């Protein structure tokens, strides 16, 4: 069906290959040529019923998914172009829609000299720098048209999973974790799904490039960093290297804040976000216990961060 939407805007359309299907049948990402330009399109059409291997999808969950694609569509129209050179988004040069479909037309990052990010130190460092600059340039930015609270696991957007938590203690503490994150006076925009798979890195430049902005919105920077490190490091690696990467992130963030917000004392923000490091881990732990309590991401490091919050 998206081909008709493309045909309304392009004279010559050549579909070359399907890169991947979107989550649970919500569309596909396709490499193609439109009027002589090589590009990649993200064609979105969320069905009325979604089959997921782990959980049954309520109407609330389906509406959340639809909203995520609308947010991404809006993000590329109104925000992506204002990012600095240190934290660029995948270039989107057209946005198309009708009542039921959305199509985002992107440049092909492989043609632009980028490759999918890998779990190697230089790529991890590049993405941490990307996150730090993204958070700094968007510091105290209001999330107009985006998620008021970014990421896909925060408490308001996961009532179904919250009800399924069997651990009564963390279930009772969930509101406290959420409140600590929401009430932090130092807010920014966060990517919201900052996993390794949502970044590319320049083959010669080692400059990171971000994409998949479905859950971009308000939040605190360490939420993205937590999720990113959890997406690519094992438990042992987290125990050995998380302090190093956290310090590296804050170094980049301080540098970026000096560039974009000279009148702001970055050390105050760093101290506050550092104190919330175990809270963002506990908040994600709460989500996983309700969504998939045997998930591989539940490890000793995550549980130790949660257990360190003995005052809650």
């Amino acid at each position: 069906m998206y081909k008709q939407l493309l045909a309304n805007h392009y004279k010559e359309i050549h579909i070359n290959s399907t890169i991947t299907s979107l989550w649970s049948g919500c569309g596909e990402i396709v490499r193609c040529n439109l009027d002589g330009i090589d590009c990649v399109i993200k064609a979105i059409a969320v069905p009325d019923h979604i089959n997921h291997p782990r959980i049954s999808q309520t109407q609330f969950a389906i509406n959340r998914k639809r909203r995520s694609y609308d947010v991404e569509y809006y993000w590329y129209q109104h925000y992506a172009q204002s990012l600095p050179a240190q934290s660029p988004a995948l270039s989107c040069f057209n946005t198309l829609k009708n009542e039921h479909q959305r199509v985002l037309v992107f440049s092909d990052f492989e043609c632009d000299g980028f490759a999918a990010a890998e779990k190697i130190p230089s790529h991890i460092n590049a993405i941490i720098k990307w996150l730090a600059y993204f958070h700094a340039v968007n510091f105290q930015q209001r999330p107009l048209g985006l998620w008021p609270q970014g990421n896909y696991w925060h408490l308001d957007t996961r009532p179904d999973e919250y009800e399924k938590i069997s651990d009564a203690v963390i279930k009772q503490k969930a509101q406290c974790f959420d409140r600590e994150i929401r009430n932090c006076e130092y807010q920014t925009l966060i990517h919201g799904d900052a996993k390794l798979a949502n970044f590319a890195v320049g083959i010669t430049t080692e400059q990171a490039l971000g994409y998949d902005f479905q859950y971009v919105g308000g939040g605190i920077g360490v939420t993205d960093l937590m999720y990113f490190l959890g997406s690519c490091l094992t438990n042992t690696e987290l125990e050995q290297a998380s302090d190093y990467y956290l310090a590296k992130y804050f170094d980049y963030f301080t540098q970026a804040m000096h560039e974009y917000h000279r009148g702001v004392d970055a050390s105050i923000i760093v101290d506050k976000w550092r104190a919330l490091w175990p809270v963002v881990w506990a908040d994600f732990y709460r989500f996983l216990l309700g969504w998939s309590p045997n998930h591989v991401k539940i490890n000793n490091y995550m549980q130790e961060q949660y257990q360190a919050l003995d005052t809650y």
Side-chain angles (χ1 to χ4, degrees):
M1 293 176 64
Y2 68 85
K3 294 179 183 178
Q4 182 58 53
L5 189 54
L6 290 174
N8 293 337
H9 295 82
Y10 296 95
K11 295 179 180 179
E12 295 186 16
I13 302 169
H14 300 284
I15 305 299
N16 297 327
S17 61
T18 299
I19 298 174
T20 187
S21 296
L22 297 182
W23 182 86
S24 293
C26 291
E28 57 185 354
I29 298 176
V30 176
R31 184 170 281 111
C32 62
N33 184 285
L34 301 177
D35 289 348
I37 300 174
D38 290 326
C39 57
V40 170
I41 65 167
K42 185 173 185 178
I44 305 149
V46 180
D48 292 332
H49 302 283
I50 295 177
N51 295 318
H52 191 278
R54 286 194 179 95
I55 56 174
S56 60
Q57 296 292 299
T58 63
Q59 191 59 51
F60 185 93
I62 293 171
N63 289 341
R64 178 181 62 242
K65 179 57 63 175
R66 287 199 177 101
R67 169 67 176 148
S68 77
Y69 289 118
D70 287 341
V71 164
E72 182 179 39
Y73 191 89
Y74 191 88
W75 161 264
Y76 278 108
Q77 287 185 316
H78 299 280
Y79 287 86
Q81 297 79 10
S82 63
L83 291 178
Q86 296 91 339
S87 58
L90 179 61
S91 179
C92 179
F93 55 86
N94 207 350
T95 54
L96 311 174
K97 69 176 181 178
N98 58 27
E99 184 178 355
H100 303 293
Q101 292 182 305
R102 304 286 184 273
V103 174
L104 298 170
V105 184
F106 296 109
S107 64
D108 187 337
F109 66 68
E110 291 185 357
C111 296
D112 295 335
F114 288 80
E118 299 179 21
K119 183 186 169 180
I120 57 177
S122 62
H123 286 196
I124 292 173
N125 183 74
I127 294 167
I128 288 173
K129 182 177 181 179
W130 188 100
L131 290 172
Y133 270 81
F134 182 84
H135 298 148
V137 77
N138 288 302
F139 182 67
Q140 301 294 40
Q141 171 89 277
R142 294 179 63 193
L144 299 175
L146 309 177
W147 292 100
Q149 187 176 6
N151 82 48
Y152 65 81
W153 62 86
H154 67 83
L155 199 57
D156 277 357
T157 199
R158 290 292 179 170
D160 302 330
E161 290 76 10
Y162 174 77
E163 291 302 323
K164 294 178 181 178
I165 297 173
S166 60
D167 186 324
V169 176
I170 196 170
K171 193 169 186 177
Q172 183 179 19
K173 294 179 178 180
Q175 296 286 349
C176 295
F177 302 152
D178 185 66
R179 187 163 54 249
E180 282 288 299
I181 295 168
R182 283 180 180 270
N183 289 348
C184 177
E185 61 268 44
Y186 304 115
Q187 296 282 316
T188 184
L189 297 184
I190 63 173
H191 180 286
D193 192 12
K195 58 188 176 185
L196 186 67
N198 285 341
F199 290 92
V201 177
I203 296 171
T204 59
T205 65
E206 293 200 335
Q207 166 67 59
L209 179 75
Y211 47 92
D212 276 10
F213 288 89
Q214 291 172 225
Y215 293 97
V216 61
I220 59 175
V222 287
T223 295
D224 272 344
L225 184 66
M226 174 278 298
Y227 187 69
F228 170 63
L229 294 182
S231 78
C232 61
L233 300 184
T234 66
N235 176 72
T236 300
E237 290 165 338
L238 283 167
E239 291 177 338
Q240 293 175 345
S242 60
D243 287 345
Y244 167 79
Y245 285 129
L246 187 61
K248 177 69 72 173
Y249 166 80
F250 284 134
D251 285 345
Y252 283 134
F253 178 76
T254 299
Q255 175 182 321
M257 287 294 289
H258 182 70
E259 292 181 32
Y260 299 111
H261 303 280
R262 287 183 179 271
V264 178
D265 185 351
S267 66
I268 298 174
I269 307 162
V270 168
D271 288 344
K272 183 62 175 179
W273 284 2
R274 190 189 300 276
L276 291 171
W277 182 242
V279 179
V280 295
W281 280 99
D283 187 55
F284 190 55
Y285 181 39
R286 175 269 313 161
F287 162 69
L288 290 177
L289 287 178
W291 184 63
S292 180
N294 296 316
H295 200 284
V296 66
K297 287 185 179 180
I298 297 178
N299 55 36
N300 289 338
Y301 181 83
M302 177 181 288
Q303 292 171 325
E304 287 167 3
Q305 296 301 310
Y306 161 62
Q307 291 163 2
L309 298 171
D310 55 6
T311 60
Y312 282 74

